Amino acid sequence: MQQGKYRFVTGFLIVPVMLYAVFMIWPYVQTFGYSFTNWQGQSQEMSFVGLDNYTALFSDDVFLKALWHNILLLVFLPIATILLALFFAFMVNVGGRGGSGGIRGVRGSGIYKILFFVPHVLSIAILAVLWRAIYRGDVAGLINGVFIKLGLSDPAHPIEWLNDPDLVLWCVAFVLLWWGVGFYLVLFSAAMQSVPREIYEAALLDGASRVQSFFKVTLPLLWDTVQTAWVYLAILAMDCFALISVMTPGNSFGGGPDHNSEVMATYLMRNFLSFGKSGYACAMGVVIMLLTLFLSLVTLRVSRRERIEY
């Protein structure tokens, strides 16, 4: 009977596993193999070059600059997004005044959830076009127009948001933050709603303030959800290809001005499709994959805590 059950399960799994291996695992294996060659992408003619592509990466100033930009996003994006999403989720769920109905969120909390989530419904490409218009470097740009009306900017010299080397990366980071907060607000709200209201009420009866109840009750009970959000945001920070390639200036795939918004994904695609250095681009892809995997494992390891039951 037991042997028949294993055959039955194997019969159902063999086709999905084969499809997954062909369409998911095999491309990774191919990329890893191509990274040791001088493949140019136009044909299957190539020769083995060993670790030359990998050694060239770490003497490539543009790649190192792109790596540094990914690291900056990796530090800023998860911290800022999670902190804001946690704060807003706490306010719309348990941040309102208590009454006869017990602990509840601020007035209009359901509307706030919808408004915050709306940006996440739109695709990244649409958001990039929208924010590129908002960041326009002339008086027609929304931000510049507001600044000029308020007297904070000179109409003759409006701020070149996406052409300023010191501002462009932070402009991109703000869009990613604005886009992501709503999703994680809803995610954390769902987790908070599973926490019994009696726990919050007991904490308030014991004299805990809203800040204390957040750090002593809410955050520990939501830690697993925060850990998952951190991993997903770290993966997003290691990519950002679609937003940067559409939103920022530069020849093919953005990254300008002068590579000041370049990330590893945009530099990879430029080498693969524009420069014909496909083997070199595959080496970048392997490095991105290993870094992302390493960061995910480290995040899960460092943030691991004992599960709290309630």
Side-chain angles (χ1 to χ4, degrees), residues 56-68:
L57 278 178
F58 295 98
S59 60
D60 186 336
D61 292 337
V62 177
F63 176 77
L64 294 177
K65 194 172 188 178
L67 175 60
W68 173 243

Side-chain angles (χ1 to χ4, degrees), residues 126-148:
I126 293 174
L127 291 179
V129 174
L130 172 67
W131 278 93
R132 189 170 62 184
I134 293 173
Y135 281 132
R136 276 185 61 167
D138 54 23
V139 294
L142 178 61
I143 299 178
N144 278 332
V146 172
F147 276 22
I148 290 169

Side-chain angles (χ1 to χ4, degrees), residues 72-295:
L72 289 177
L73 291 173
L74 185 65
V75 172
F76 167 78
L77 189 61
I79 294 175
T81 303
I82 289 174
L83 288 178
L84 284 174
L86 278 173
F87 171 75
F88 291 135
F90 184 78
M91 293 302 294
V92 300
N93 285 278
V94 295
R97 293 185 178 182
S100 58
I103 300 296
R104 61 175 181 265
V106 296
R107 184 174 298 177
S109 57
I111 298 175
Y112 293 141
K113 289 180 186 178
I114 295 172
L115 291 177
F116 275 107
F117 192 75
V118 165
H120 209 84
V121 176
L122 303 175
S123 72
I124 285 288
I126 293 174
L127 291 179
V129 174
L130 172 67
W131 278 93
R132 189 170 62 184
I134 293 173
Y135 281 132
R136 276 185 61 167
D138 54 23
V139 294
L142 178 61
I143 299 178
N144 278 332
V146 172
F147 276 22
I148 290 169
K149 288 291 185 182
L150 296 175
L152 300 175
S153 181
D154 183 1
H157 300 92
I159 302 171
E160 295 280 349
W161 297 98
L162 297 178
N163 286 305
D164 189 325
D166 297 325
L167 293 177
V168 60
L169 187 66
W170 299 111
C171 291
V172 172
F174 178 79
V175 176
L176 288 170
L177 176 65
W178 176 81
W179 177 71
V181 164
F183 175 81
Y184 292 99
L185 160 65
V186 173
L187 179 67
F188 295 148
S189 294
M192 286 182 189
Q193 288 170 5
S194 66
V195 178
R197 285 291 187 271
E198 291 80 5
I199 296 178
Y200 290 110
E201 293 170 358
L204 293 177
L205 288 174
D206 288 340
S209 65
R210 295 288 183 177
V211 175
Q212 289 173 325
S213 64
F214 174 79
F215 285 102
K216 300 294 185 180
V217 177
T218 303
L219 191 56
L221 293 177
L222 263 65
W223 191 254
D224 287 346
T225 309
V226 171
Q227 184 186 54
T228 303
W230 195 289
V231 171
Y232 277 107
L233 286 165
I235 294 171
L236 176 63
M238 293 296 291
D239 182 14
C240 308
F241 169 76
L243 184 66
I244 291 177
S245 63
V246 176
M247 184 175 162
T248 61
N251 295 325
S252 67
F253 309 112
D258 195 25
H259 303 292
N260 281 285
S261 61
E262 195 82 72
V263 292
M264 290 186 289
T266 56
Y267 192 48
L268 182 156
M269 292 302 294
R270 188 174 295 108
N271 276 274
F272 190 88
L273 295 177
S274 300
F275 299 160
K277 300 167 66 175
S278 302
Y280 189 57
C282 287
M284 288 186 209
V286 172
V287 170
I288 294 172
M289 181 192 71
L290 293 177
L291 282 175
T292 305
L293 181 61
F294 173 76
L295 289 169

